[in-house]
Amino acid sequence: MNDLLPVLLVAVLGAILAAVCSTGLPRRERRWIAGSFLLHVAFALAQVPITLTFYGSSDMFLYFSYGEILAQMMERDPTHVIPEVTALLLHQQPRLPLTIIGTGSATGSMSALAAWSFYLLGPSKYASGVAFAMLSLCGKIGMYRVFREHIEPNRRHYVALATLFLPSFVFWSAGLIKEAIAMAGFGWVLFGIHSWITKGRLFPSWLFIVVGTVPILLIKPYILFPLVLAGGSWYYWARSLKRGRVRIRPVYLAIGGALAVGGIVLLGRQFPEYAADAFSTRAQELQQIGRGVRGGSNFALGGEVPTTLVGQLAYAPVALLAALFRPAIFEVSNLLMLANALETTVLTLLFGRILLTRNLGAVRRQIADNPFLVFCVVFVLSFGIAVGLTSTNLGTLSRYRSPLLPFFAVALLVLGRRRPAPSREAPVEPVRAHVPGAA
């Protein structure tokens, strides 16, 4: 009973927020979002018992523990404690009478968010999980709105499936978990990029980008590296197609390259642990840790652990395949891994269908004609390689790769079928008027 009322309250508020984010969508698509709302609530409620059953504990319970203590302190002395909890959220050193693991990092920020949720909702782990699942859902709605603009209307059910119902994507971003916070911002960053590139609106496009970037910076800043790279590719491709077809145009190439490279360098300076010169060292350390723990769901990419960036990139194809298609059915060791394996099996079959039934030249042209599909491919490749190189456990791999899954799934679903032929009854208009992403 102590959990029931706050859970119902959060669910109602979440439903209202989701309805606001869905404003303007057709009734059928709002029904899809309503179904996804129910799925997010169910998965958020299931996070606590599933985590206890399969893992015994997790970082989520660390956040809960600190959150409960800090919320009680906030109630007793809000004037002094609330500013310190806010400092903890912003990666600052708080002046609190207890040592908090992860202070100055995303882990400390998660403890601060748990404190705020307990302070506002009461000490209910389930209500807290549903609250962050609702924020994640709103980010996915923003993502869905972008996808639907770049895919033919008769294929929008593919978009809904990829962004709103993909099981592991929803599960690993529903609850008091880092991916939920990151997705809450990611979807609206994507919406802002879409609005800027396709409609040329500086405002409110950059407002969405800036506001959405904040939770990503606080919780999972490494997502921004492939996002910037893919965004630069989208910009260049869209501006090139606006003139009729993709050509090497120095101005657009320079702007797109500057956006991608400059953004990555800037992010590397702000977060040196994710910079290019530190990536190989970090990947080597993680691979060495995974190699030292045998059994279970640990895996190795190769016989040796590379010590240089070039050596790490030599494993890029193997890392990408692992990120996209593992675990396989024959690698399953528990029920949770079985659910992930069923999903990767479906993705493998969809990928195989493209290889066997489609002309690869036609697939390449289909991608090249749609700047958003170019964005999807670049993001999946760059993010997948990075995650594959830095993951040595199939369980954590399923969680860490979740941000790329909707892009990979929608690309497979769309590219698995030929583009519909243009109607001969309709008047023929210039190509540039129909190029997605180049309006």
Side-chain angles (χ1 to χ4, degrees):
M1 189 65 183
N2 290 335
D3 291 308
L4 181 59
L5 290 178
V7 166
L8 288 176
L9 173 62
V10 172
V12 170
L13 293 176
I16 295 172
L17 188 58
V20 172
C21 294
S22 307
T23 301
L25 294 177
R27 179 179 298 179
R28 182 181 67 158
E29 297 176 41
R30 294 201 301 271
R31 290 199 191 103
W32 294 342
I33 291 172
S36 184
F37 163 81
L38 296 176
L39 187 63
H40 277 75
V41 172
F43 278 172
L45 295 176
Q47 278 275 357
V48 173
I50 287 178
T51 301
L52 285 174
T53 301
F54 283 95
Y55 302 111
S57 187
S58 71
D59 290 346
M60 178 171 59
F61 289 92
L62 176 70
Y63 312 148
F64 284 144
S65 298
Y66 284 127
E68 190 168 5
I69 296 171
L70 292 173
Q72 292 173 356
M73 294 172 62
M74 291 165 72
E75 291 175 356
R76 294 171 184 170
D77 190 5
T79 304
H80 294 93
V81 178
I82 286 179
E84 301 306 321
V85 173
T86 304
L88 179 65
L89 174 66
L90 299 177
H91 294 192
Q92 303 299 313
Q93 186 67 42
R95 292 173 294 180
L96 294 168
L98 74 161
T99 301
I100 298 177
I101 297 174
T103 296
S105 69
T107 300
S109 296
M110 292 299 296
S111 295
L113 289 173
W116 273 108
S117 68
F118 283 171
Y119 179 67
L120 297 173
L121 302 173
S124 171
K125 297 180 178 66
Y126 294 97
S128 178
V130 172
F132 289 106
M134 294 299 96
L135 295 177
S136 177
L137 172 61
C138 290
K140 294 186 185 77
I141 295 172
M143 185 181 295
Y144 171 77
R145 298 185 79 113
V146 175
F147 276 59
R148 71 185 294 278
E149 293 295 323
H150 298 278
I151 304 300
E152 292 84 358
N154 63 341
R155 300 189 183 186
R156 282 182 182 160
H157 56 288
Y158 291 161
V159 174
L161 179 63
T163 56
L164 301 173
F165 294 100
L166 203 61
S168 66
F169 180 53
V170 175
F171 180 80
W172 289 119
S173 56
L176 185 59
I177 192 169
K178 290 178 180 178
E179 283 72 16
I181 312 302
M183 287 303 102
F186 185 92
W188 295 107
V189 170
L190 187 67
F191 184 83
I193 295 173
H194 152 78
S195 180
W196 173 49
I197 292 177
T198 63
K199 300 177 182 177
R201 298 173 180 170
L202 292 178
F203 184 85
S205 300
W206 277 95
L207 179 62
F208 282 117
I209 293 173
V210 171
V211 173
T213 297
V214 172
I216 303 177
L217 284 172
L218 291 175
I219 305 301
K220 287 210 172 258
Y222 62 81
I223 294 176
L224 293 173
F225 287 80
L227 180 59
V228 167
L229 182 62
S233 302
W234 186 1
Y235 176 90
Y236 174 73
W237 219 264
R239 289 298 177 258
S240 296
L241 281 180
K242 191 173 183 180
R243 294 176 176 267
R245 64 189 181 91
V246 176
R247 294 177 180 175
I248 304 300
R249 299 185 182 277
V251 174
Y252 293 140
L253 183 62
I255 295 176
L259 285 172
V261 177
I264 289 174
V265 171
L266 188 62
L267 286 168
R269 290 182 178 178
Q270 184 67 30
F271 302 96
E273 65 271 28
Y274 301 119
D277 56 352
F279 177 79
S280 60
T281 302
R282 180 61 175 163
Q284 177 193 359
E285 292 173 352
L286 292 172
Q287 291 166 14
Q288 202 74 337
I289 292 172
R291 186 179 295 272
V293 182
R294 297 186 177 183
S297 57
N298 294 301
F299 67 93
L301 296 175
E304 300 292 335
V305 177
T307 58
T308 65
L309 181 60
V310 174
Q312 288 290 337
L313 292 179
Y315 281 123
V318 180
L320 181 62
L321 290 175
L324 298 181
F325 302 116
R326 295 183 74 178
I329 288 291
F330 56 83
E331 296 176 305
V332 169
S333 60
N334 56 57
L335 289 176
L336 195 58
M337 190 179 293
L338 175 61
N340 290 325
L342 291 174
E343 186 175 277
T344 55
T345 299
V346 173
L347 295 174
T348 302
L349 292 174
L350 290 173
F351 184 73
R353 185 181 69 170
I354 293 174
L355 295 179
L356 296 175
T357 65
R358 294 293 312 276
N359 178 283
L360 296 186
V363 171
R364 180 187 60 81
R365 289 190 294 272
Q366 189 173 348
I367 294 172
D369 288 343
N370 189 325
F372 183 66
L373 284 180
V374 173
F375 173 92
C376 291
V377 170
V378 173
F379 184 79
V380 167
L381 291 176
S382 55
F383 192 85
I385 290 172
V387 169
L389 287 174
T390 54
S391 299
T392 56
N393 181 278
L394 294 176
T396 56
L397 176 65
S398 299
R399 171 182 168 183
Y400 293 152
R401 68 156 171 243
S402 59
L404 70 77
L405 284 177
F407 300 94
F408 185 47
V410 82
L412 293 179
L413 290 168
V414 170
L415 297 175
R417 295 177 58 189
R418 295 182 178 87
R419 284 179 293 186
S423 173
R424 295 186 179 182
E425 298 179 0
V428 178
E429 298 181 12
V431 174
R432 58 188 292 183
H434 293 282
V435 175

